[in-house]
Amino acid sequence: MAGRLIQTAISQNAIPMLRQLAQVVYPARCLSCGDMVEPMAELSAGLCPPCWREVAFAGGLTCDACGVPLLGQSDRVELCDDCLSHPRPWSQGRAPLLYEGKGRHLVMALKHGDRLDIAPVAAAWMARVGADLIQPDTLIAPVPLHWQRRIARRYNQAALLAWGVAKRLNRPCCPDLIQRHRATPSTRGQGRAARLTQMQGAFRIHPKRAHLLQGRPVLLVDDVMTTGATLAAVAETCKDGGATHLSVLLLARAHKGSYIGKIEDTDQDTTEDT
């Protein structure tokens, strides 16, 4: 018994020492520009001061359903015009970043640049703004990729973010709760109705995971939301599967200025419509 206690104490003391050694051998670098940064445990971890200032964080008043910034101030829950005109099939939504500038660069690097090192820091940002979405029995699940795209990309960035958020918020994560069993072509340039129609029937609950969904709240995690067509289809699938309450947590939220100007008119941007 005493030997186990000594071994445990040594192990606990060794972890901080190993972390310090790793920081010396592999100094922390800015996720955006690569310059060395001071290792920090706060929200700004991972970015140097110049890049931190260039990242558009979604602060102040935001839409309670989708996280897009709103003008003015309010002491009550507010919704953007888009969510008022087209109610979402989920209750609340949060996102720490706006999909523009350095924020867009980080999303694209995580999604298409094999920058898996971005995921833990991004998950910390997301967990901070999404903590109020968590209920006692919340299950966290990522928006899935179709298996063909999953093989081509080698990983699902939404799943990496979901795992990180779940770890920080101490909630269970089911990465294969939802399956994208039908591949869909790009919806870029299509209207809202066409996008929603194209997404119908593209998702289903994993037959072996269906029991996890019954009668409990679900937090859906994805990297970026543009029009919300994919998220709406996934949320409806979860509702049909028995989820009682749905929320969404995103790394970045595209708003009209950044979305129309930088996604639909730019061939180089290969972000899927979500």
Side-chain angles (χ1 to χ4, degrees):
M1 182 65 179
R4 290 183 180 179
L5 292 175
I6 293 174
Q7 186 178 9
T8 300
I10 293 175
S11 300
Q12 290 176 345
N13 291 329
I15 292 175
M17 294 176 62
L18 290 174
R19 286 177 178 170
Q20 291 178 2
L21 179 61
Q23 290 171 2
V24 173
V25 178
Y26 304 103
R29 292 187 176 274
C30 176
L31 295 174
S32 180
C33 70
D35 285 349
M36 286 191 293
V37 296
E38 291 293 331
M40 300 172 63
E42 299 300 325
L43 187 63
S44 59
L47 293 174
C48 67
C51 288
W52 173 262
R53 290 192 291 269
E54 293 182 25
V55 173
F57 285 91
L61 182 64
T62 60
C63 174
D64 192 56
C66 73
V68 74
L70 299 175
L71 297 176
Q73 298 179 343
S74 178
D75 56 359
R76 63 180 185 179
V77 170
E78 299 289 351
L79 298 177
C80 67
D81 291 342
D82 201 25
C83 288
L84 287 172
S85 302
H86 306 89
R88 310 292 183 179
W90 61 82
S91 299
Q92 294 176 289
R94 302 285 185 271
L97 307 183
L98 298 183
Y99 188 70
E100 61 182 44
K102 292 285 186 181
R104 175 176 172 273
H105 169 77
L106 291 172
V107 171
M108 296 300 289
L110 171 62
K111 177 176 289 192
H112 300 294
D114 291 335
R115 290 289 309 279
L116 275 63
D117 56 311
I118 294 174
V121 178
W125 297 340
M126 295 168 69
R128 185 179 179 107
V129 302
D132 67 325
L133 303 178
I134 297 297
Q135 298 182 23
D137 198 30
T138 294
L139 177 65
I140 297 176
V143 170
L145 291 176
H146 187 263
W147 66 268
Q148 292 175 330
R149 183 167 286 168
R150 171 72 170 75
I151 291 176
R153 191 174 295 172
R154 301 186 302 281
Y155 61 92
N156 178 6
Q157 70 282 352
L160 297 178
L161 295 172
W163 276 117
V165 169
K167 181 179 179 181
R168 288 184 171 271
L169 297 180
N170 194 29
R171 296 306 313 149
C173 177
C174 186
D176 60 348
L177 177 70
I178 309 147
Q179 295 177 318
R180 189 165 189 160
H181 66 99
R182 180 170 64 82
T184 55
S186 173
T187 59
R188 189 174 298 115
Q190 297 182 7
R192 179 188 298 272
R195 294 178 181 186
L196 291 172
T197 299
Q198 189 160 288
M199 289 297 170
Q200 288 181 358
F203 301 93
R204 67 185 176 194
I205 302 300
H206 193 304
K208 295 183 178 180
R209 307 288 183 264
H211 66 283
L212 300 175
L213 191 66
Q214 298 295 322
R216 69 189 303 180
V218 174
L219 176 65
L220 298 174
V221 173
D222 205 0
D223 56 351
V224 60
M225 173 180 167
T226 53
T227 65
T230 299
L231 278 165
V234 174
E236 293 288 2
T237 301
C238 290
K239 276 186 173 181
D240 293 341
T244 58
H245 183 275
L246 288 163
S247 301
V248 299
L249 181 58
L250 317 155
L251 172 55
R253 175 67 169 101
H255 54 100
K256 290 183 178 180
S258 61
Y259 176 70
I260 295 175
K262 295 182 179 178
I263 297 181
E264 296 195 347
D265 295 337
T266 303
D267 293 336
Q268 295 178 349
D269 197 326
T270 55
T271 299
E272 298 95 22
D273 173 58
T274 53

